[in-house]
Amino acid sequence: MKVKVHSILQLKEILGGKDVEIIVPDGTNVSGLLAGMVEIWGDSLSPHIFKPQSDEVLPYIRLMINGTAIQSLDGMETILNDGDEVLLIPLAAGG
Amino acid sequence: MYSGGYTGKILRVNLTSKTAQEEKLPLAVAKDFIGGAGLGMKYLFDEVKPGTDALGPDNKLIFAPGPFTGTSIPCASRMAVVGKSPLTGAVGNALTGGYFPAELKFAGWDAVIVEGKAEKPTWVSIKDSSVRFHDAGSLWGTMTFDCQQMIKDNLNDQNTRIICIGPAGERLSKIACIINERRAAGRKGLGAVMGSKNLKAIAVRGTGKVAITSEEKYRAARSEMLKAFKESPVLYSAFSPAGTPMVVDLTGALGILSAKNWSATGEFVPVDQLGLDAQNTRKIGKEHCYDCPVGCSQMKLAKTGPYAGILTEGPEFETIYSFGTQTGVVNLDAVIAADRLADELGLDSMSAGVTIGFAMELFERGILTPADTGGIDLKFGNDQAMMMVLRMMAFREGIGDLLADGTRVAAMKIGKGSEKYAMHIKGLELPAYDVRGAKAHGLNYATAYTGADHNRGYAFQEIFGIPVPWEVDRLSIEGKGKLTKWNQDVRAATCDCATMCAFMLDTALPATSTQNTSALLEAVTGLIFTPDEIQKVGERLNNLAKVFNIREGFTRTDDTFPERLMTEPLKDGASKGQVITKDDLKKMLDEYYTERGWDTQTGVPTRAKLEELGLSTAADLLGV
Ligand code: SF4
């Protein structure tokens, strides 16, 4: 199945565009998606989303599925569906 | 009695009698309100009686820096301008940085209270303890940048710091601002209050310095603050080079970047044209406020069409919204030009852009016609029409006169159901964040004592995902009353009273701002506050301002949203389907008033709460 990852600011630069489509096996959860992305983008991506030498996501990285924060779903275990839009948002400031 | 931070002196300038006198700042006022907006609120409450005409001689304008202003504490040399707002009829305040606030402290003043009305256009110069009144006949009518240069030339001092109004303030536009170099004390129409007093400008020069009580504690507290700056995951790495425009990209992704007078949020998201990457194509430099190591202000140069060559400091995120997404204008150079023009005219860029967007929606709906606009094709996206109308607003020409006092007054004059599209709360035009997708941010808009004001209780938990004081779901209404009270009180104390730049609260000190303020206050002033007592100062300010507003006739029904936010769900984007129903608002307000210790039915503070905060006189005046 395909999911769309929408990112902004430095994460958008690393992924090469604000929207990227990623093909993942049916039943993939958020954790699996991020693991798959690290396989594609490697070391250029992982320090920006994971704590060093860890698969724990940095505290200020936000993940949302169709606008809903994963904390309000099943967290990293949340199962993705075909066509989902995953927001991957780094810390911003200002306003 | 004061050992540092404060000078202990207030300057009272009476324009009617052309006199200036020095007064003592009572220590109790400093302890209860710290400075800035709190100090201004205390004097406003005590001296401006209920029902006072905001544009009459009995209104006052209080320019109040804080005890840190003029020290080398980074990002803390700001001041509040406080008066009764002609736009809302409520408390009006606006905070500004730059260099004027520090200079006012160097001149020896903890605040300047301006009262009365000059017989003819006047400007005032302050050099340390000497105050002079000057005829502003030749300055009247000038744009703000020229006005400042003319005053510098007149005084033969290019380092004099100046605040002034432009043509909009002179013509009493209720959305006129006060300009300070290229920065603004922007919101709530305080520029019109200056205009109503025939006061064109204040120039200040000081030769003193701000005393520090304990150099040792000061060094420790300051270096702790700078350490937090360095450890911030965003301050120097991202915010310093990018500034506020990065929030265009963020709110676009979250589906909360308001557009086309709030009719198209989530559907019309011109991040490619107006977001950070686009802004960077126009960036030519940076600017810093006094003693700020961050320098978030970006200097931008327009490059195309009739706007080529126009330079501005900005546009900040809110102005990219007001002159960009709100009006449907995606020509970045036009937004740059509008930002500059609004500063020169002395118009609040936020309220001005929102008001033009409002007029555009009315034009598209046929409520305003070409006969009303003088033939201007005031459709969404028409940048040249926006520029024309902006200028006409400041000079009150044609359709500009109709729009010069903001959306609420314009809707009252236009009628025909136009109030439905007027995006304001208590008369103040809405900031950029579409709060249908950020509920505590919305509750702050509804309850802030200054009207729809993101700066009174910014919900950084919802906008940036910072889990302090706890993690929240931006789309839920649960617990948002308690969170909003926390946001409003902490921000009021640390940013509005202690005059720290609010961007530091979000980026570097979200969990430690009250400790930071407490440590710095002890080091600078010798006054001891626990972090909880710091937060209480914010609560005291929010309660006293609430009492002021109630005495002006505000009730629970004013703590609300424009109809659109409660009836039209967002149509697309990452907040699709979100709305704040009337029932949602009622539940959030009930929780908020309960958390505040206010009467849930009426929203009026209880005597017990006011006495707890040392505001029993306010309780007596309120009759509770
Ligand atoms: S961060 Fe920006 S607004 Fe804040 S003090 Fe520095 S330059 Fe001024």
Side-chain angles (χ1 to χ4, degrees), chain A residues 12-27:
Chain A
K12 176 192 77 176
E13 303 301 327
I14 293 164
L15 300 185
K18 64 183 178 190
D19 292 310
V20 291
E21 280 197 339
I22 298 178
I23 297 171
V24 289
D26 285 1

Side-chain angles (χ1 to χ4, degrees), chain B residues 265-287:
Chain B
T265 308
E267 297 173 282
F268 175 76
V269 192
V271 169
D272 290 342
Q273 299 96 319
L274 299 175
L276 184 60
D277 290 347
Q279 299 289 332
N280 283 339
T281 65
R282 300 296 189 267
K283 182 176 159 181
I284 60 161
K286 273 156 69 78
E287 272 291 352

Side-chain angles (χ1 to χ4, degrees), chain B residues 525-546:
Chain B
T525 68
L527 299 177
I528 311 282
F529 292 81
T530 64
D532 283 350
E533 286 166 346
I534 296 287
Q535 195 165 329
K536 276 270 181 245
V537 171
E539 189 179 8
R540 188 172 296 118
L541 164 55
N542 282 314
N543 275 265
L544 192 60
K546 180 76 177 179

Side-chain angles (χ1 to χ4, degrees), chain B residues 109-433:
Chain B
W109 303 110
D110 284 330
V112 177
I113 300 171
V114 176
E115 57 192 26
K117 177 180 179 176
E119 199 186 333
K120 51 187 186 176
T122 296
W123 64 279
V124 172
S125 65
I126 301 168
K127 177 133 193 234
D128 294 328
S129 57
S130 148
V131 179
R132 286 169 59 208
F133 296 82
H134 307 255
D135 184 345
S138 60
L139 290 177
W140 208 250
T142 56
M143 304 281 256
T144 60
F145 293 8
D146 286 339
C147 172
Q148 294 179 71
Q149 190 55 52
M150 287 167 75
I151 289 175
K152 287 178 180 183
D153 293 347
N154 179 292
L155 294 172
N156 196 20
D157 180 359
Q158 297 302 312
N159 291 319
T160 288
R161 305 298 181 181
I162 296 156
I163 52 169
C164 69
I165 56 169
E170 293 173 10
R171 286 165 181 75
L172 311 186
S173 156
K174 291 182 177 175
I175 56 172
C177 68
I178 298 171
I179 290 289
N180 150 29
E181 284 149 23
R182 287 185 295 237
R183 309 183 71 85
R187 307 220 68 199
K188 298 126 206 164
L190 298 176
V193 180
M194 268 181 79
S196 73
K197 296 185 175 306
N198 269 330
L199 178 61
K200 178 70 177 174
I202 302 175
V204 66
R205 196 79 162 97
T207 56
K209 68 185 264 232
V210 180
I212 303 293
T213 298
S214 163
E215 287 290 349
E216 193 187 335
K217 285 183 183 161
Y218 180 74
R219 272 194 299 278
R222 185 174 178 275
S223 72
E224 195 62 28
M225 188 177 184
L226 285 167
K227 185 164 156 259
F229 283 19
K230 276 200 195 109
E231 286 170 359
S232 162
V234 69
L235 180 60
Y236 288 125
S237 57
F239 181 62
S240 176
T244 59
M246 71 163 83
V247 184
V248 175
D249 300 52
L250 173 67
T251 50
L254 294 175
I256 57 169
L257 178 57
S258 305
K260 296 188 178 176
N261 201 36
W262 296 59
S263 67
T265 308
E267 297 173 282
F268 175 76
V269 192
V271 169
D272 290 342
Q273 299 96 319
L274 299 175
L276 184 60
D277 290 347
Q279 299 289 332
N280 283 339
T281 65
R282 300 296 189 267
K283 182 176 159 181
I284 60 161
K286 273 156 69 78
E287 272 291 352
H288 297 243
C289 294
Y290 180 85
D291 216 47
C292 167
V294 180
C296 73
S297 283
Q298 318 287 320
M299 299 298 303
K300 300 200 188 101
L301 183 64
K303 288 189 176 164
T304 62
Y307 312 114
I310 295 175
L311 177 72
T312 197
E313 182 174 341
E316 303 294 347
F317 164 63
E318 285 291 350
T319 305
I320 299 168
Y321 144 73
S322 62
F323 289 135
T325 60
Q326 160 73 0
T327 58
V329 169
V330 295
N331 179 342
L332 173 56
D333 288 328
V335 178
I336 288 172
D339 182 51
R340 167 74 183 248
L341 183 59
D343 285 353
E344 292 259 27
L345 296 166
L347 275 170
D348 168 17
S349 64
M350 288 174 65
S351 282
V354 174
T355 304
I356 295 171
F358 161 69
M360 286 173 161
E361 180 164 10
L362 298 188
F363 189 80
E364 297 221 343
R365 288 179 179 277
I367 297 173
L368 286 177
T369 65
D372 298 309
T373 64
I376 297 172
D377 186 28
L378 201 54
K379 289 206 181 86
F380 281 126
N382 186 341
D383 55 287
Q384 295 193 17
M386 173 178 77
M387 295 298 288
M388 238 184 288
V389 171
L390 178 61
R391 195 183 176 84
M392 291 164 79
M393 285 163 76
F395 288 97
R396 289 194 178 274
E397 291 166 358
I399 180 86
D401 187 34
L402 186 65
L403 303 177
D405 296 316
T407 53
R408 180 166 67 178
V409 171
M412 273 173 355
K413 288 182 180 166
I414 295 164
K416 303 181 196 166
S418 58
E419 172 62 25
K420 190 175 159 197
Y421 307 108
M423 303 309 292
H424 70 84
I425 297 173
K426 301 184 178 82
L428 184 67
E429 284 69 29
L430 295 182
Y433 308 84

Side-chain angles (χ1 to χ4, degrees), chain A residues 12 18 62 67 71-72 93 95, chain B residues 272 277 462-463 473-474 574:
Chain A
K12 176 192 77 176
K18 64 183 178 190
R62 296 164 91 184
Q71 288 83 347
S72 300
Chain B
D272 290 342
D277 290 347
E462 293 182 339
I463 307 301
D473 174 354
R474 71 186 171 100

